[in-house]
């Protein structure tokens, strides 16, 4: 057992030395464009986890929620009730596209959300803005992808983080982003007849 422990300790020392050398070379800080996409669950959940981190670090933040509309979500209720001063929360949209069945209304709601988002992103006091499900609005061309990408590249303050979630992120957005995570669907209870449940889905 002593030989096993000694071998493990030596191996970890080498890993730590390599890690320390790598970390010494990482000195730059900047506001990131972050994309969470893919068919798997967890895109919005991850974005809201980052909002929780911001609040814990005393970093003012904001959420603009596209598409979901008046669908009651735990994260919206929690942030509005407990952290309204730390995190501004704007809902844009009247529900999923198959619920509204009105493209013009969906476009108007998405445009209103994007205008609000631009104001929040431009605000130097706001350190992170989560654009929840904006990729859906972009997928259906409710918003112009070139306009969104150009704004993020040219007008986003240097130290502001912007997180964009939703399936089917467009290639231009992926290209512009600093960090892209694709959630892969392996298994989902919905496929076996289990409905969306509080605390898991919303």
């Amino acid at each position: 057992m002593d030989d096993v422990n000694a071998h493990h300790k030596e191996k970890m020392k080498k890993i730590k030395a390599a890690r320390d050398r790598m970390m010494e070379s990482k000195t730059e800080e900047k506001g990131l464009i972050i994309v969470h996409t893919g068919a798997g669950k967890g895109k919005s959940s991850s974005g809201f986890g980052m909002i929780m981190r911001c609040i814990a670090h005393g970093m003012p933040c904001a959420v603009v929620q596209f598409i979901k509309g008046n669908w009651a979500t735990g994260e919206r209720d929690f942030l509005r009730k407990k952290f309204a001063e730390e995190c501004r929360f704007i809902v844009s949209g009247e529900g999923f596209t198959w619920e509204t069945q009105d493209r013009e209304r969906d476009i108007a709601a998405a445009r209103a959300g994007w205008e609000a988002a631009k104001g929040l992103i431009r605000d130097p006091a706001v350190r992170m803005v989560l654009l929840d499900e904006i990729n859906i609005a972009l997928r259906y061309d409710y918003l112009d992808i070139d306009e969104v990408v150009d704004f993020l590249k040219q007008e986003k303050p240097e130290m502001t983080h912007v997180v964009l979630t939703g399936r089917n992120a467009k290639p231009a957005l992926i290209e512009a982003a600093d960090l892209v995570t694709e959630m892969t669907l392996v298994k989902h209870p919905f496929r076996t007849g289990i409905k969306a449940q509080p605390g898991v889905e919303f």
Side-chain angles (χ1 to χ4, degrees), residues 17-75:
R19 180 79 180 172
D20 288 347
R21 285 194 300 272
M22 181 186 72
M23 294 304 289
E24 286 173 4
S25 69
K26 312 300 181 189
T27 58
E28 185 180 354
E29 286 187 55
K30 62 173 282 193
L32 303 175
I33 299 171
I34 301 166
V35 175
H36 295 156
T37 193
K41 180 173 165 41
K43 298 176 288 294
S44 293
S45 301
S46 179
F48 281 106
M50 297 174 87
I51 289 293
M52 295 297 107
R53 288 176 178 167
C54 285
I55 291 170
H57 285 292
M59 297 166 58
C61 51
V63 176
V64 180
Q65 199 162 51
F66 293 81
I67 305 299
K68 290 176 180 173
N70 291 322
W71 188 35
T73 63
E75 58 268 20

Side-chain angles (χ1 to χ4, degrees), residues 64 66 90 92 108-122 131 134 143 147 151:
V64 180
F66 293 81
I90 294 171
S92 175
R111 291 296 315 172
W114 176 236
E115 290 303 314
K118 288 193 291 185
L120 291 165
I121 293 167
R122 287 185 181 116
L131 306 180
I134 192 174
L143 300 173
E147 178 189 341
F151 178 86

Side-chain angles (χ1 to χ4, degrees), residues 83-117:
F83 296 102
E85 291 185 14
E86 295 87 349
C87 181
R88 294 171 63 185
F89 204 115
I90 294 171
V91 175
S92 175
E94 300 177 60
F96 289 99
T97 52
W98 58 85
E99 297 286 354
T100 62
Q101 300 177 19
D102 188 328
R103 180 175 171 80
E104 291 306 313
R105 275 170 49 195
D106 289 339
I107 290 171
R111 291 296 315 172
W114 176 236
E115 290 303 314

